[in-house]
PDB file of all heavy atoms in Angstrom:
ATOM      1  N   GLY A 177      36.667  29.571  69.466  1.00  0.00           N
ATOM      2  CA  GLY A 177      36.695  29.901  68.044  1.00  0.00           C
ATOM      3  C   GLY A 177      37.612  28.860  67.281  1.00  0.00           C
ATOM      4  O   GLY A 177      38.488  28.394  67.801  1.00  0.00           O
ATOM      5  N   ILE A 178      37.117  28.561  66.063  1.00  0.00           N
ATOM      6  CA  ILE A 178      37.832  27.589  65.284  1.00  0.00           C
ATOM      7  C   ILE A 178      38.036  28.061  63.868  1.00  0.00           C
ATOM      8  O   ILE A 178      37.175  28.762  63.302  1.00  0.00           O
ATOM      9  CB  ILE A 178      37.119  26.208  65.388  1.00  0.00           C
ATOM     10  CG1 ILE A 178      38.012  25.040  64.839  1.00  0.00           C
ATOM     11  CG2 ILE A 178      35.823  26.238  64.570  1.00  0.00           C
ATOM     12  CD1 ILE A 178      37.408  23.658  65.222  1.00  0.00           C
ATOM     13  N   CYS A 179      39.251  27.814  63.304  1.00  0.00           N
ATOM     14  CA  CYS A 179      39.355  28.091  61.811  1.00  0.00           C
ATOM     15  C   CYS A 179      40.339  27.163  61.156  1.00  0.00           C
ATOM     16  O   CYS A 179      41.035  26.337  61.851  1.00  0.00           O
ATOM     17  CB  CYS A 179      39.912  29.608  61.641  1.00  0.00           C
ATOM     18  SG  CYS A 179      41.643  29.742  62.028  1.00  0.00           S
ATOM     19  N   SER A 180      40.270  27.122  59.930  1.00  0.00           N
ATOM     20  CA  SER A 180      41.190  26.347  59.094  1.00  0.00           C
ATOM     21  C   SER A 180      41.261  26.954  57.632  1.00  0.00           C
ATOM     22  O   SER A 180      40.455  27.722  57.246  1.00  0.00           O
ATOM     23  CB  SER A 180      40.742  24.848  58.924  1.00  0.00           C
ATOM     24  OG  SER A 180      39.623  24.880  58.024  1.00  0.00           O
ATOM     25  N   ASP A 181      42.337  26.455  56.989  1.00  0.00           N
ATOM     26  CA  ASP A 181      42.276  26.791  55.525  1.00  0.00           C
ATOM     27  C   ASP A 181      41.736  25.540  54.880  1.00  0.00           C
ATOM     28  O   ASP A 181      41.211  24.634  55.529  1.00  0.00           O
ATOM     29  CB  ASP A 181      43.774  27.170  55.029  1.00  0.00           C
ATOM     30  CG  ASP A 181      44.713  25.942  54.968  1.00  0.00           C
ATOM     31  OD1 ASP A 181      44.329  24.891  55.478  1.00  0.00           O
ATOM     32  OD2 ASP A 181      45.784  26.146  54.520  1.00  0.00           O
ATOM     33  N   HIS A 182      41.801  25.437  53.554  1.00  0.00           N
ATOM     34  CA  HIS A 182      41.331  24.303  52.789  1.00  0.00           C
ATOM     35  C   HIS A 182      41.874  22.970  53.175  1.00  0.00           C
ATOM     36  O   HIS A 182      41.178  21.982  53.255  1.00  0.00           O
ATOM     37  CB  HIS A 182      41.487  24.478  51.220  1.00  0.00           C
ATOM     38  CG  HIS A 182      42.964  24.819  50.968  1.00  0.00           C
ATOM     39  ND1 HIS A 182      43.468  26.076  51.167  1.00  0.00           N
ATOM     40  CD2 HIS A 182      43.862  24.143  50.316  1.00  0.00           C
ATOM     41  CE1 HIS A 182      44.765  26.146  50.785  1.00  0.00           C
ATOM     42  NE2 HIS A 182      44.945  24.842  50.247  1.00  0.00           N
ATOM     43  N   ALA A 183      43.184  23.038  53.632  1.00  0.00           N
ATOM     44  CA  ALA A 183      43.840  21.728  53.995  1.00  0.00           C
ATOM     45  C   ALA A 183      43.262  21.211  55.312  1.00  0.00           C
ATOM     46  O   ALA A 183      43.305  19.984  55.568  1.00  0.00           O
ATOM     47  CB  ALA A 183      45.403  21.949  54.136  1.00  0.00           C
ATOM     48  N   GLY A 184      42.798  22.100  56.173  1.00  0.00           N
ATOM     49  CA  GLY A 184      42.316  21.657  57.479  1.00  0.00           C
ATOM     50  C   GLY A 184      40.739  21.588  57.565  1.00  0.00           C
ATOM     51  O   GLY A 184      40.155  21.413  58.606  1.00  0.00           O
ATOM     52  N   PHE A 185      40.139  22.020  56.361  1.00  0.00           N
ATOM     53  CA  PHE A 185      38.639  22.141  56.391  1.00  0.00           C
ATOM     54  C   PHE A 185      37.881  20.859  56.963  1.00  0.00           C
ATOM     55  O   PHE A 185      36.979  21.014  57.816  1.00  0.00           O
ATOM     56  CB  PHE A 185      38.152  22.449  54.954  1.00  0.00           C
ATOM     57  CG  PHE A 185      36.719  22.388  54.808  1.00  0.00           C
ATOM     58  CD1 PHE A 185      35.849  23.306  55.474  1.00  0.00           C
ATOM     59  CD2 PHE A 185      36.101  21.258  54.143  1.00  0.00           C
ATOM     60  CE1 PHE A 185      34.476  23.128  55.241  1.00  0.00           C
ATOM     61  CE2 PHE A 185      34.762  21.099  53.986  1.00  0.00           C
ATOM     62  CZ  PHE A 185      33.894  22.062  54.574  1.00  0.00           C
ATOM     63  N   GLU A 186      38.164  19.781  56.430  1.00  0.00           N
ATOM     64  CA  GLU A 186      37.508  18.620  56.763  1.00  0.00           C
ATOM     65  C   GLU A 186      37.600  18.268  58.350  1.00  0.00           C
ATOM     66  O   GLU A 186      36.608  18.019  58.974  1.00  0.00           O
ATOM     67  CB  GLU A 186      37.979  17.345  56.076  1.00  0.00           C
ATOM     68  CG  GLU A 186      37.087  16.107  56.382  1.00  0.00           C
ATOM     69  CD  GLU A 186      37.802  14.812  55.982  1.00  0.00           C
ATOM     70  OE1 GLU A 186      38.546  14.794  55.016  1.00  0.00           O
ATOM     71  OE2 GLU A 186      37.580  13.883  56.773  1.00  0.00           O
ATOM     72  N   TYR A 187      38.873  18.394  58.868  1.00  0.00           N
ATOM     73  CA  TYR A 187      39.046  18.219  60.315  1.00  0.00           C
ATOM     74  C   TYR A 187      38.361  19.243  61.061  1.00  0.00           C
ATOM     75  O   TYR A 187      37.802  18.999  62.104  1.00  0.00           O
ATOM     76  CB  TYR A 187      40.510  18.171  60.697  1.00  0.00           C
ATOM     77  CG  TYR A 187      41.286  16.902  60.295  1.00  0.00           C
ATOM     78  CD1 TYR A 187      40.830  15.915  59.465  1.00  0.00           C
ATOM     79  CD2 TYR A 187      42.568  16.678  60.984  1.00  0.00           C
ATOM     80  CE1 TYR A 187      41.615  14.797  59.213  1.00  0.00           C
ATOM     81  CE2 TYR A 187      43.207  15.505  60.826  1.00  0.00           C
ATOM     82  CZ  TYR A 187      42.857  14.546  59.765  1.00  0.00           C
ATOM     83  OH  TYR A 187      43.574  13.449  59.593  1.00  0.00           O
ATOM     84  N   LYS A 188      38.366  20.462  60.613  1.00  0.00           N
ATOM     85  CA  LYS A 188      37.604  21.547  61.358  1.00  0.00           C
ATOM     86  C   LYS A 188      36.260  21.262  61.565  1.00  0.00           C
ATOM     87  O   LYS A 188      35.738  21.339  62.674  1.00  0.00           O
ATOM     88  CB  LYS A 188      37.846  22.930  60.685  1.00  0.00           C
ATOM     89  CG  LYS A 188      37.082  24.026  61.299  1.00  0.00           C
ATOM     90  CD  LYS A 188      37.168  25.377  60.603  1.00  0.00           C
ATOM     91  CE  LYS A 188      36.588  25.303  59.272  1.00  0.00           C
ATOM     92  NZ  LYS A 188      35.033  25.202  59.193  1.00  0.00           N
ATOM     93  N   ASP A 189      35.631  20.865  60.448  1.00  0.00           N
ATOM     94  CA  ASP A 189      34.178  20.647  60.539  1.00  0.00           C
ATOM     95  C   ASP A 189      33.815  19.413  61.453  1.00  0.00           C
ATOM     96  O   ASP A 189      32.890  19.421  62.207  1.00  0.00           O
ATOM     97  CB  ASP A 189      33.696  20.455  59.057  1.00  0.00           C
ATOM     98  CG  ASP A 189      33.092  21.782  58.575  1.00  0.00           C
ATOM     99  OD1 ASP A 189      33.423  22.782  58.986  1.00  0.00           O
ATOM    100  OD2 ASP A 189      32.223  21.652  57.567  1.00  0.00           O
ATOM    101  N   ARG A 190      34.669  18.365  61.330  1.00  0.00           N
ATOM    102  CA  ARG A 190      34.466  17.220  62.164  1.00  0.00           C
ATOM    103  C   ARG A 190      34.732  17.508  63.655  1.00  0.00           C
ATOM    104  O   ARG A 190      33.993  17.126  64.579  1.00  0.00           O
ATOM    105  CB  ARG A 190      35.246  15.993  61.633  1.00  0.00           C
ATOM    106  CG  ARG A 190      34.995  15.486  60.433  1.00  0.00           C
ATOM    107  CD  ARG A 190      35.816  14.549  59.881  1.00  0.00           C
ATOM    108  NE  ARG A 190      35.911  13.238  60.570  1.00  0.00           N
ATOM    109  CZ  ARG A 190      36.682  12.228  60.381  1.00  0.00           C
ATOM    110  NH1 ARG A 190      37.718  12.318  59.446  1.00  0.00           N
ATOM    111  NH2 ARG A 190      36.707  11.148  61.095  1.00  0.00           N
ATOM    112  N   LEU A 191      35.776  18.238  63.851  1.00  0.00           N
ATOM    113  CA  LEU A 191      36.181  18.694  65.274  1.00  0.00           C
ATOM    114  C   LEU A 191      35.111  19.549  65.938  1.00  0.00           C
ATOM    115  O   LEU A 191      34.699  19.476  67.011  1.00  0.00           O
ATOM    116  CB  LEU A 191      37.564  19.286  65.374  1.00  0.00           C
ATOM    117  CG  LEU A 191      38.156  19.569  66.663  1.00  0.00           C
ATOM    118  CD1 LEU A 191      38.286  18.306  67.449  1.00  0.00           C
ATOM    119  CD2 LEU A 191      39.615  20.237  66.478  1.00  0.00           C
ATOM    120  N   LYS A 192      34.570  20.471  65.024  1.00  0.00           N
ATOM    121  CA  LYS A 192      33.524  21.376  65.491  1.00  0.00           C
ATOM    122  C   LYS A 192      32.231  20.641  65.923  1.00  0.00           C
ATOM    123  O   LYS A 192      31.770  20.752  67.009  1.00  0.00           O
ATOM    124  CB  LYS A 192      33.140  22.288  64.322  1.00  0.00           C
ATOM    125  CG  LYS A 192      32.058  23.246  64.623  1.00  0.00           C
ATOM    126  CD  LYS A 192      31.755  24.035  63.381  1.00  0.00           C
ATOM    127  CE  LYS A 192      30.392  24.723  63.369  1.00  0.00           C
ATOM    128  NZ  LYS A 192      30.114  25.307  62.050  1.00  0.00           N
ATOM    129  N   ALA A 193      31.893  19.582  65.180  1.00  0.00           N
ATOM    130  CA  ALA A 193      30.726  18.782  65.562  1.00  0.00           C
ATOM    131  C   ALA A 193      30.985  18.009  66.798  1.00  0.00           C
ATOM    132  O   ALA A 193      30.137  17.921  67.639  1.00  0.00           O
ATOM    133  CB  ALA A 193      30.419  17.709  64.344  1.00  0.00           C
ATOM    134  N   HIS A 194      32.219  17.422  66.866  1.00  0.00           N
ATOM    135  CA  HIS A 194      32.573  16.678  68.097  1.00  0.00           C
ATOM    136  C   HIS A 194      32.459  17.574  69.312  1.00  0.00           C
ATOM    137  O   HIS A 194      31.874  17.263  70.266  1.00  0.00           O
ATOM    138  CB  HIS A 194      33.981  16.148  68.026  1.00  0.00           C
ATOM    139  CG  HIS A 194      34.447  15.509  69.201  1.00  0.00           C
ATOM    140  ND1 HIS A 194      34.187  14.164  69.523  1.00  0.00           N
ATOM    141  CD2 HIS A 194      35.245  15.967  70.276  1.00  0.00           C
ATOM    142  CE1 HIS A 194      34.810  13.837  70.604  1.00  0.00           C
ATOM    143  NE2 HIS A 194      35.423  14.956  71.131  1.00  0.00           N
ATOM    144  N   LEU A 195      33.067  18.746  69.244  1.00  0.00           N
ATOM    145  CA  LEU A 195      33.088  19.741  70.414  1.00  0.00           C
ATOM    146  C   LEU A 195      31.648  20.148  70.783  1.00  0.00           C
ATOM    147  O   LEU A 195      31.236  20.274  71.929  1.00  0.00           O
ATOM    148  CB  LEU A 195      34.117  20.847  70.210  1.00  0.00           C
ATOM    149  CG  LEU A 195      35.509  20.512  70.143  1.00  0.00           C
ATOM    150  CD1 LEU A 195      36.325  21.656  69.634  1.00  0.00           C
ATOM    151  CD2 LEU A 195      36.007  19.951  71.551  1.00  0.00           C
ATOM    152  N   GLU A 196      30.861  20.488  69.810  1.00  0.00           N
ATOM    153  CA  GLU A 196      29.427  20.884  70.063  1.00  0.00           C
ATOM    154  C   GLU A 196      28.692  19.761  70.692  1.00  0.00           C
ATOM    155  O   GLU A 196      27.879  20.008  71.563  1.00  0.00           O
ATOM    156  CB  GLU A 196      28.806  21.252  68.668  1.00  0.00           C
ATOM    157  CG  GLU A 196      29.189  22.583  68.201  1.00  0.00           C
ATOM    158  CD  GLU A 196      28.665  23.084  66.922  1.00  0.00           C
ATOM    159  OE1 GLU A 196      28.368  22.147  66.097  1.00  0.00           O
ATOM    160  OE2 GLU A 196      28.656  24.187  66.569  1.00  0.00           O
ATOM    161  N   SER A 197      28.941  18.486  70.298  1.00  0.00           N
ATOM    162  CA  SER A 197      28.223  17.472  71.049  1.00  0.00           C
ATOM    163  C   SER A 197      28.734  17.239  72.499  1.00  0.00           C
ATOM    164  O   SER A 197      27.999  16.679  73.219  1.00  0.00           O
ATOM    165  CB  SER A 197      28.566  15.986  70.179  1.00  0.00           C
ATOM    166  OG  SER A 197      29.776  15.634  70.534  1.00  0.00           O
ATOM    167  N   GLU A 198      29.868  17.857  72.876  1.00  0.00           N
ATOM    168  CA  GLU A 198      30.255  17.869  74.245  1.00  0.00           C
ATOM    169  C   GLU A 198      29.795  19.034  74.928  1.00  0.00           C
ATOM    170  O   GLU A 198      30.097  19.217  76.203  1.00  0.00           O
ATOM    171  CB  GLU A 198      31.768  17.707  74.320  1.00  0.00           C
ATOM    172  CG  GLU A 198      32.434  16.406  73.751  1.00  0.00           C
ATOM    173  CD  GLU A 198      33.822  16.277  74.172  1.00  0.00           C
ATOM    174  OE1 GLU A 198      34.681  17.372  74.099  1.00  0.00           O
ATOM    175  OE2 GLU A 198      34.166  15.140  74.519  1.00  0.00           O
ATOM    176  N   GLY A 199      29.101  19.969  74.311  1.00  0.00           N
ATOM    177  CA  GLY A 199      28.563  21.118  74.946  1.00  0.00           C
ATOM    178  C   GLY A 199      29.303  22.382  74.823  1.00  0.00           C
ATOM    179  O   GLY A 199      28.918  23.427  75.373  1.00  0.00           O
ATOM    180  N   TYR A 200      30.339  22.334  74.101  1.00  0.00           N
ATOM    181  CA  TYR A 200      31.081  23.640  73.888  1.00  0.00           C
ATOM    182  C   TYR A 200      30.258  24.528  72.818  1.00  0.00           C
ATOM    183  O   TYR A 200      29.780  23.870  71.804  1.00  0.00           O
ATOM    184  CB  TYR A 200      32.519  23.298  73.233  1.00  0.00           C
ATOM    185  CG  TYR A 200      33.438  22.640  74.221  1.00  0.00           C
ATOM    186  CD1 TYR A 200      33.685  21.267  74.280  1.00  0.00           C
ATOM    187  CD2 TYR A 200      34.128  23.477  75.240  1.00  0.00           C
ATOM    188  CE1 TYR A 200      34.573  20.653  75.177  1.00  0.00           C
ATOM    189  CE2 TYR A 200      34.992  22.830  76.161  1.00  0.00           C
ATOM    190  CZ  TYR A 200      35.197  21.471  76.138  1.00  0.00           C
ATOM    191  OH  TYR A 200      36.024  20.854  77.077  1.00  0.00           O
ATOM    192  N   GLU A 201      30.416  25.737  72.973  1.00  0.00           N
ATOM    193  CA  GLU A 201      29.867  26.792  72.079  1.00  0.00           C
ATOM    194  C   GLU A 201      30.984  27.112  71.098  1.00  0.00           C
ATOM    195  O   GLU A 201      32.035  27.516  71.454  1.00  0.00           O
ATOM    196  CB  GLU A 201      29.373  28.034  72.749  1.00  0.00           C
ATOM    197  CG  GLU A 201      28.511  28.889  71.951  1.00  0.00           C
ATOM    198  CD  GLU A 201      28.085  30.181  72.681  1.00  0.00           C
ATOM    199  OE1 GLU A 201      28.056  30.120  73.925  1.00  0.00           O
ATOM    200  OE2 GLU A 201      27.834  31.113  72.063  1.00  0.00           O
ATOM    201  N   ILE A 202      30.771  26.739  69.695  1.00  0.00           N
ATOM    202  CA  ILE A 202      31.758  26.960  68.806  1.00  0.00           C
ATOM    203  C   ILE A 202      31.453  28.194  67.791  1.00  0.00           C
ATOM    204  O   ILE A 202      30.331  28.191  67.254  1.00  0.00           O
ATOM    205  CB  ILE A 202      32.000  25.768  67.935  1.00  0.00           C
ATOM    206  CG1 ILE A 202      32.145  24.421  68.862  1.00  0.00           C
ATOM    207  CG2 ILE A 202      33.089  25.947  66.895  1.00  0.00           C
ATOM    208  CD1 ILE A 202      33.461  24.474  69.673  1.00  0.00           C
ATOM    209  N   SER A 203      32.390  29.132  67.664  1.00  0.00           N
ATOM    210  CA  SER A 203      32.310  30.085  66.523  1.00  0.00           C
ATOM    211  C   SER A 203      33.240  29.732  65.496  1.00  0.00           C
ATOM    212  O   SER A 203      34.421  29.543  65.598  1.00  0.00           O
ATOM    213  CB  SER A 203      32.756  31.441  67.164  1.00  0.00           C
ATOM    214  OG  SER A 203      31.782  32.011  67.873  1.00  0.00           O
ATOM    215  N   ASP A 204      32.682  29.493  64.247  1.00  0.00           N
ATOM    216  CA  ASP A 204      33.338  29.015  63.057  1.00  0.00           C
ATOM    217  C   ASP A 204      33.768  30.281  62.263  1.00  0.00           C
ATOM    218  O   ASP A 204      32.958  30.857  61.715  1.00  0.00           O
ATOM    219  CB  ASP A 204      32.562  27.971  62.370  1.00  0.00           C
ATOM    220  CG  ASP A 204      33.339  27.279  61.286  1.00  0.00           C
ATOM    221  OD1 ASP A 204      34.369  27.842  60.779  1.00  0.00           O
ATOM    222  OD2 ASP A 204      32.774  26.359  60.798  1.00  0.00           O
ATOM    223  N   PHE A 205      35.132  30.500  62.146  1.00  0.00           N
ATOM    224  CA  PHE A 205      35.700  31.616  61.315  1.00  0.00           C
ATOM    225  C   PHE A 205      36.019  31.209  59.983  1.00  0.00           C
ATOM    226  O   PHE A 205      36.605  31.896  59.211  1.00  0.00           O
ATOM    227  CB  PHE A 205      36.924  32.218  62.108  1.00  0.00           C
ATOM    228  CG  PHE A 205      36.510  32.864  63.343  1.00  0.00           C
ATOM    229  CD1 PHE A 205      36.242  32.231  64.533  1.00  0.00           C
ATOM    230  CD2 PHE A 205      36.446  34.253  63.411  1.00  0.00           C
ATOM    231  CE1 PHE A 205      35.995  32.914  65.700  1.00  0.00           C
ATOM    232  CE2 PHE A 205      36.088  34.974  64.517  1.00  0.00           C
ATOM    233  CZ  PHE A 205      35.874  34.261  65.698  1.00  0.00           C
ATOM    234  N   GLY A 206      35.679  29.913  59.491  1.00  0.00           N
ATOM    235  CA  GLY A 206      35.917  29.514  58.238  1.00  0.00           C
ATOM    236  C   GLY A 206      37.307  28.808  58.139  1.00  0.00           C
ATOM    237  O   GLY A 206      37.956  28.612  59.176  1.00  0.00           O
TER     238      GLY A 206
END
Side-chain angles (χ1 to χ4, degrees):
I178 195 165
C179 78
S180 75
D181 71 353
H182 51 285
F185 166 71
E186 189 202 322
Y187 279 21
K188 172 181 68 68
D189 268 18
R190 292 173 68 187
L191 189 57
K192 177 183 162 186
H194 173 85
L195 291 171
E196 282 174 340
S197 78
E198 288 191 327
Y200 291 100
E201 191 182 337
I202 306 296
S203 278
D204 189 342
F205 289 80

